[in-house]
């Protein structure tokens, strides 16, 4: 039982003493540039200028109002995100949140945001992982922007299969009804910013957005650190 208290403390000390074990070099990280799809934020290069929405969003509009990703998921950033998520180098959150906040200010992301939420983990997955990386990022962003944050409103109630092993249609089916809103009055009529680390197919943030909209949320914008859609 004593290890349950000592181990997290030890990891915190290591993060403080050895933050350079994984360092973010902004010059080596590729920041995403417009044009973006006005719904999901996908890169629109080589698409006629009059088209501002991607084919997927035209055919099947997402529940969120707008999604953004600050950087391309490539190069050194891929390794840094892996270190952040699986090696528990949480000191990287400071640099990651700086990248996101700078991007948000540059493109006026979630200008009317009243509440910040993170994509939650199921308790059993959180027990194995020990940290929720999205929660850490969201708290940091909320502190920098001085916007209220809650990690108790949006909950993962179904322990689903790992998304990365599934195809797009399977991902959507896998996540159906896997989230819930604990307190609907806390989101009713609110403009919400939903934070995650990666945007792949968007299935996870879209399912979170669906349940939030059904609970009365007014507007939902999504921001992630990275997305692998470099043209």
């Amino acid at each position: 039982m004593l290890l349950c208290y000592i181990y997290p403390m030890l990891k915190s000390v290591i993060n403080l003493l050895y933050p350079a074990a994984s360092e973010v070099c902004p010059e080596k990280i590729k920041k995403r540039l417009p044009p973006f799809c006005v719904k999901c934020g996908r890169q629109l290069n080589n698409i006629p200028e009059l088209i501002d929405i991607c084919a997927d969003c035209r055919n099947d509009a997402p529940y969120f109002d707008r999604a953004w990703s600050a950087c391309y998921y490539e190069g050194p950033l891929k390794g840094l995100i892996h270190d952040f998520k699986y090696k528990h180098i949480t000191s990287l959150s400071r640099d990651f949140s700086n990248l996101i906040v700078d991007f948000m200010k540059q493109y006026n992301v979630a200008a009317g945001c009243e509440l910040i939420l993170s994509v939650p983990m199921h308790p059993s997955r959180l027990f194995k992982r020990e940290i929720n990386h999205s929660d850490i990022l969201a708290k940091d962003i909320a502190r920098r922007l001085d916007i209220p944050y809650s990690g108790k409103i949006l909950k993962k109630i179904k322990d689903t299969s790992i998304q990365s092993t599934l195809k797009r249609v399977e991902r959507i089916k896998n996540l159906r009804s896997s989230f819930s809103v604990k307190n609907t009055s806390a989101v009713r009529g609110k403009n919400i910013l939903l934070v995650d680390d990666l945007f792949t197919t968007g299935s996870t943030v879209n399912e979170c957005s669906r349940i939030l909209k059904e609970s009365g949320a007014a507007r939902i914008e999504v921001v992630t650190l990275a997305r692998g859609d470099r043209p």
Side-chain angles (χ1 to χ4, degrees):
M1 181 64 72
L2 186 59
L3 285 174
C4 295
Y5 298 97
I6 294 175
Y7 186 54
M9 292 172 64
L10 183 60
K11 286 192 297 183
S12 299
V13 171
I14 291 171
N15 273 320
L16 286 171
L17 293 178
Y18 302 104
S22 295
E23 289 187 343
V24 175
C25 181
E27 294 77 18
K28 294 183 179 180
I29 293 175
K30 304 294 184 182
K31 297 178 182 178
R32 297 176 75 252
L33 299 171
F36 307 129
C37 170
V38 296
K39 289 294 288 185
C40 75
R42 175 180 292 172
Q43 196 77 50
L44 290 179
N45 290 31
N46 302 320
I47 294 178
E49 291 183 8
L50 293 177
I51 298 176
D52 61 0
I53 187 168
C54 72
D56 284 347
C57 290
R58 281 200 308 272
N59 296 330
D60 188 13
Y63 289 96
F64 52 77
D65 295 277
R66 188 87 192 245
W68 311 80
S69 299
C71 307
Y72 293 109
Y73 185 55
E74 62 176 34
L77 185 59
K78 292 182 74 170
L80 291 169
I81 291 175
H82 183 274
D83 289 349
F84 178 52
K85 293 172 70 169
Y86 302 107
K87 294 185 180 179
H88 301 165
I89 303 179
T90 54
S91 56
L92 286 166
S93 174
R94 178 187 59 224
D95 294 313
F96 287 166
S97 60
N98 279 339
L99 287 167
I100 294 172
V101 170
D102 287 347
F103 178 89
M104 289 178 64
K105 290 179 177 178
Q106 182 176 359
Y107 295 104
N108 202 32
V109 177
C113 175
E114 301 166 279
L115 177 66
I116 293 179
L117 304 177
S118 58
V119 173
M121 281 184 177
H122 187 271
S124 63
R125 186 71 55 83
L126 182 58
F127 180 79
K128 293 175 184 176
R129 284 274 190 93
E130 299 175 0
I131 62 168
N132 181 348
H133 47 281
S134 299
D135 175 70
I136 294 170
L137 271 180
K139 284 179 181 176
D140 225 358
I141 292 167
R143 181 175 57 81
R144 281 165 161 72
L145 297 177
D146 195 25
I147 296 172
Y149 166 78
S150 176
K152 298 181 179 180
I153 293 173
L154 189 59
K155 296 292 183 182
K156 184 80 179 289
I157 57 174
K158 187 169 74 173
D159 190 13
T160 53
S161 301
I162 297 173
Q163 287 288 92
S164 59
T165 64
L166 306 174
K167 295 180 179 179
R168 187 174 187 275
V169 174
E170 294 172 329
R171 290 183 183 212
I172 295 170
K173 191 182 296 185
N174 182 49
L175 288 168
R176 191 72 179 179
S177 302
S178 62
F179 297 96
S180 71
V181 174
K182 186 174 181 181
N183 181 4
T184 56
S185 63
V187 303
R188 192 174 297 121
K190 292 285 181 65
N191 294 329
I192 294 171
L193 178 66
L194 183 62
V195 176
D196 204 0
D197 61 331
L198 293 176
F199 190 108
T200 308
T201 64
S203 303
T204 301
V205 292
N206 196 47
E207 180 62 17
C208 288
S209 299
R210 184 184 72 81
I211 197 71
L212 286 167
K213 281 288 181 78
E214 288 183 356
S215 298
R219 179 176 175 83
I220 299 169
E221 289 192 49
V222 175
V223 70
T224 64
L225 172 62
R227 180 171 178 163
D229 64 343
R230 188 170 177 80

